[in-house]
Each structure stands twice: as structure tokens, then as C-alpha cells.
Amino acid sequence: MAKSDHLYRRTANRILEALESLEPGEPAPSEAMLTQLCGVSRSPVRAALQHLVQCGILVQRGHERLLARVPSPADRFDETQVHSPADHVETVFMDMVLQQELAPGERFTEAELARRANTSTAVVREYLIRLSRFGVIRKRPRGSWTLMAFDAAFANELADMRYILEMAAIEAFAALASDDPIWADVDFMIERHEDFAADFEARFHTFSTLDQEFHRLIISAKHNRFFADMFDVTTLIFHYHFQWGKVGEKERNAVAIAEHLDILRALRAHDFVRARENLARHLAVARNTLLHSVDPGARSDLPAGGATAALPRLTEGPAVGEG
């Protein structure tokens, strides 16, 4: 079963919970509201809503979807349908890293992770082997692994890959039709960032989730499954280093919010040259921040005339943008 299938089914279950408070004939929450409620993009929300219409729970009336009948427990997807074992292992592993339960250089075992994820060691081993191809972890004897600490060379290589992926993806926006659903996602992402900025003092420490959603939106324009796989790996590495680097976190996140909005507003205005320049600047700042988190004395290996050549503001002070 594809990862997207599990996501839309989880989303459908979450929407069913939201519908339980409604009476038949009342309108369901808007797509924008459900996207925020479920913490996903509009694509799985739309797939879930289509499923609920087909099941007779919702009925389409013009631009609204009305509750046709009160949902029952039988309408929900069961746990085996909403979480694949591999998805759950990935979630558990990333949580261990991002919550600093697993530090660079520390060993862990397949059996330990299998217990945490309540799955078999075979499923865990398959996931870890896939992840190890990117140098994130290293195999040790007797079913143990080590989370790698990264040097400046690895960080530069990772940032190179991220630059290639996201710059190719942002070019794809120019080819999209004006009625493509992604433009509604861009609008909603702008709203999310503006709301976050308005409540920044209380929320700045939770920025990583919004940052991940922003970069996933950029990558989604390319419709490339290999891009999506690489995105998961780069996100894991960038964010777990930022999680450990708490010094300057508030300032980094404030700058990153502003940079995200510059990119999003340029996209919405269909000013793709400006969007590309803004993204290049943002990725260069993220590269420098990652390098500093790995080795405070490290320098970017971008060649002369590369991405930083057109980014004079980067030389005016220390790099502070997160991701």
C-alpha cells in the first residue's frame, strides 16, 4: 500500500472526528480548516473528502459539502489501514532523534527500535538499511547501529543535494496551470506563516514542523517520487542538527519565517525569477547554519560564482536562518 494511501486514510479518520459534532444538513469545515486541523496538505484532505462523499457521509452541494448522515465507528479505517509498519518505524526513529533520545555517535539496536515501534525486527532492518544508504546511520555487529555524527564535507554534500532538488522543484511552478490545486496550497501556506509570525513569541520553538511543511510544498511541485525520498532524509538531518543547536534558535526562526514568506509571495505573484533568487538565498543561509552546527569553524564549499554570488546580504552578518 502506498504511503499516500495511509495518509489519506489517517486524514479521513481525523475528519470523521470533526464531523461527529455536526447534525445532518450542516456544512463540513472548509478544506483550509481541515488542512490545518489534520496537519497535512490539501491533497490528502481532498482525497479523504472524496471518499466520505462516496460513502454517503457527505454530500456535495455547490461549493459546500454537507453532512448527509452521522458517522458511525464502522466508517473509520482501522489501524492496519492507516499506518504501515515502515511508516511507524520511521516516525518512532525520527522522534527519538528530534527529541534528543538518540545522540550522534550513540548506538542502538534493531530489537530496541522494534520494541519501540511494536513491530518486527525484519521491518526495522529494512527501514534502517534504506536509511543507511545516505550515511545517516552505520551498521554494527549483532544487529546494532550507530547514528552518525557528520563532518563539514558531509554537510556540504547534503546541502548540494537539497539545493539541486528544491531549485529544480521551484522551476516546475512556472509550468503549472493557474487553476492547479497547488496555488491554493501556496495561499494557505502564506496564511500559516502569517499566523505563526503574529504569534511568534509563543510559538517560535515549534517552527520545525512548519519549516518541513514549507519545503515539502516546494518539492511537491515536481511530482517526483525520488525527490520525496531524498526530502525525508535531508529533513531528518537538517532538523536534528538544528534541534541540538539551541543557541540563536529564536533569531534563526524569525529570519527563516521572513525568507519563507518572500518565496511564497513571489510564487503567488508568479514572479518566478524572484522566487528562485529568494529560495537560493534561503538555502545558502540554511547551508551555512548547518555547517556551523556541525563545525563552528567550517566554511561552505560553494564555488565562486555559485549560489552565493548573487546573494550579497549573506556577507553582511552571521547566517541565522534555520531551514
Side-chain angles (χ1 to χ4, degrees):
M1 188 181 299
K3 191 179 213 179
S4 58
D5 292 337
H6 291 95
L7 180 59
Y8 108 79
R9 291 176 180 183
R10 285 200 300 274
T11 302
N13 280 358
R14 186 67 187 89
I15 293 174
L16 285 170
E17 293 175 9
L19 297 178
E20 288 174 356
S21 61
L22 301 180
E23 297 292 334
E26 290 186 314
S30 67
E31 287 184 6
M33 291 177 63
L34 290 172
T35 300
Q36 187 167 13
L37 176 68
C38 300
V40 297
S41 68
R42 293 204 183 197
S43 295
V45 167
R46 288 173 178 147
L49 289 172
Q50 182 179 7
H51 166 75
L52 297 179
V53 168
Q54 292 172 345
C55 292
I57 299 168
L58 296 175
V59 61
Q60 190 82 39
R61 291 286 186 270
H63 296 296
E64 285 188 320
R65 297 178 182 88
L66 308 180
L67 185 66
R69 63 174 177 83
V70 176
S72 71
D75 293 316
R76 295 176 59 85
F77 291 106
D78 64 39
E79 287 300 307
T80 62
Q81 294 174 299
V82 299
H83 293 290
S84 72
D87 284 344
H88 187 54
V89 170
E90 181 178 82
T91 299
V92 170
F93 179 76
M94 290 186 70
D95 283 346
M96 289 173 65
V97 173
L98 297 179
Q99 298 303 318
Q100 304 179 37
E101 295 180 42
L102 190 61
E106 188 172 339
R107 291 196 180 195
F108 63 97
T109 67
E110 295 169 4
E112 173 191 0
L113 185 53
R115 284 194 298 272
R116 293 282 294 265
N118 193 28
T119 189
S120 69
T121 55
V123 171
V124 167
R125 188 176 303 115
E126 182 180 354
Y127 168 73
L128 294 177
I129 289 171
R130 179 170 64 87
L131 194 61
S132 69
R133 297 201 309 268
F134 302 100
V136 178
I137 55 177
R138 179 174 294 170
K139 184 76 172 70
R140 299 297 185 186
R142 295 183 294 278
S144 66
W145 298 76
T146 299
L147 180 67
M148 301 306 296
F150 307 118
D151 58 14
F154 185 96
N156 266 311
E157 291 171 11
L158 184 72
D160 286 343
M161 180 57 64
R162 190 188 202 195
Y163 182 88
I164 292 168
L165 295 178
E166 295 201 24
M167 294 303 286
I170 205 164
E171 295 285 354
F173 277 89
L176 298 176
S178 59
D179 60 349
D180 191 286
I182 202 170
W183 298 116
D185 293 333
V186 171
D187 287 337
F188 184 61
M189 191 62 68
I190 291 173
E191 294 173 14
R192 293 277 309 279
H193 278 71
E194 290 174 342
D195 290 346
F196 194 99
D199 195 24
F200 182 77
E201 291 294 326
R203 299 172 61 187
F204 74 87
H205 58 284
T206 65
F207 175 66
S208 289
T209 299
L210 184 61
D211 183 71
Q212 183 174 359
E213 292 174 6
F214 165 81
H215 287 282
R216 191 180 297 279
L217 172 64
I218 299 299
I219 288 293
S220 71
K222 192 64 177 174
H223 300 294
N224 187 307
R225 72 188 71 182
F226 301 106
F227 278 35
D229 280 346
M230 280 302 304
F231 172 81
D232 288 340
V233 174
T234 57
T235 296
L236 171 66
I237 297 172
F238 269 85
H239 281 287
Y240 92 62
H241 275 287
F242 293 139
Q243 286 278 346
W244 287 319
K246 292 297 183 183
V247 176
E249 177 187 20
K250 184 176 180 180
E251 292 76 13
R252 286 201 309 268
N253 293 352
V255 170
I257 284 283
E259 290 175 343
H260 285 190
L261 280 168
D262 286 344
I263 297 163
L264 291 165
R265 288 167 178 160
L267 284 175
R268 203 63 193 89
H270 288 209
D271 187 343
F272 301 112
V273 172
R274 182 162 61 93
R276 188 179 187 281
E277 291 173 351
N278 290 343
L279 178 62
R281 179 180 295 111
H282 178 61
L283 294 178
V285 172
R287 174 193 293 264
N288 290 337
T289 306
L290 178 64
L291 282 169
H292 185 76
S293 74
V294 172
D295 178 359
R299 295 175 59 85
S300 168
D301 66 357
L302 281 174
T308 56
L311 309 175
R313 96 177 193 189
L314 291 181
T315 65
E316 297 172 2
V320 291
E322 173 163 322

